[in-house]
Amino acid sequence: MATNAIYNINSIDAGDLTSSSATMKYPVGSSLVIKEEGKAQPSGFIYVKAHAGFATVGTPFEITAGSGGDAECITKAIATLASGAQIGFNTHAVTTGEYFFAQVSGILTAAAKAGITAGDFVKVDNTETDVETDGTTLTVNSIGMAKTSTASSAISLAIIPGRTVTISA
């Protein structure tokens, strides 16, 4: 009878949450939850490979299945999806093709459109590279809640843990 190993990341190198690498250091798709100093809620991360044309820090992207090989869990540009999109953010500079821990829950700084008010739910729309207001009621599009109003094209965002969303056109 064949056996499978159970793999849990118990620890990572201290700098790996804030760096990326051309070489895979952990199994792609591995996830971890940590309590970062100075943040009220734990932050969730998933180890992924960056897609072509990867964006700047704080830009949302979808996490999806790759085409095989060593990239079974990759990022891709936001596109219309009826349901089930997992949204992630890079918290540091990442180059196309590099491996890194994408933040999928917790508090982070996200690129944002003008007009978001602290307490608004936020969403991403097809082909967008920032978050925008989704109103004051949680919808199937909401990825989290703005902790601050838009300032300098960014907000402090609390991402709802385990949330998958609909991405509208």
Side-chain angles (χ1 to χ4, degrees):
M1 173 161 76
T3 60
N4 293 318
I6 297 173
Y7 186 84
N8 290 317
I9 296 179
N10 292 325
S11 65
I12 61 170
D13 292 338
D16 285 349
L17 286 180
T18 57
S19 65
S20 57
S21 173
T23 305
M24 184 172 54
K25 296 179 75 175
Y26 305 96
V28 178
S30 296
S31 61
L32 71 136
V33 176
I34 63 166
K35 174 67 172 78
E36 294 178 277
E37 195 172 316
K39 291 189 177 179
Q41 74 182 62
S43 298
F45 297 86
I46 187 166
Y47 198 64
V48 295
K49 186 174 184 179
H51 65 283
F54 202 73
T56 57
V57 175
T59 301
F61 48 80
E62 185 182 345
I63 297 173
T64 189
S67 59
D70 62 353
E72 286 83 15
C73 194
I74 62 170
T75 66
K76 75 175 214 171
I78 299 292
T80 302
L81 189 65
S83 65
Q86 182 176 23
I87 306 300
F89 294 81
N90 56 317
T91 58
H92 58 280
V94 176
T95 301
T96 296
E98 289 186 330
Y99 297 91
F100 70 103
F101 280 102
Q103 189 165 351
V104 294
S105 69
I107 299 168
L108 59 88
T109 300
K113 290 195 180 328
I116 297 174
T117 302
D120 283 353
F121 286 98
V122 297
K123 65 179 181 174
V124 293
D125 279 341
N126 183 37
T127 71
E128 295 293 334
T129 57
D130 50 17
V131 298
E132 62 186 70
T133 188
D134 195 28
T136 56
T137 303
L138 182 70
T139 73
V140 297
N141 303 92
S142 304
I143 60 170
M145 181 178 279
K147 292 181 58 62
T148 60
S149 298
T150 306
S152 301
S153 300
I155 60 167
S156 178
L157 168 65
I159 306 171
I160 302 168
R163 183 94 171 142
T164 59
V165 297
T166 297
I167 300 173
S168 301

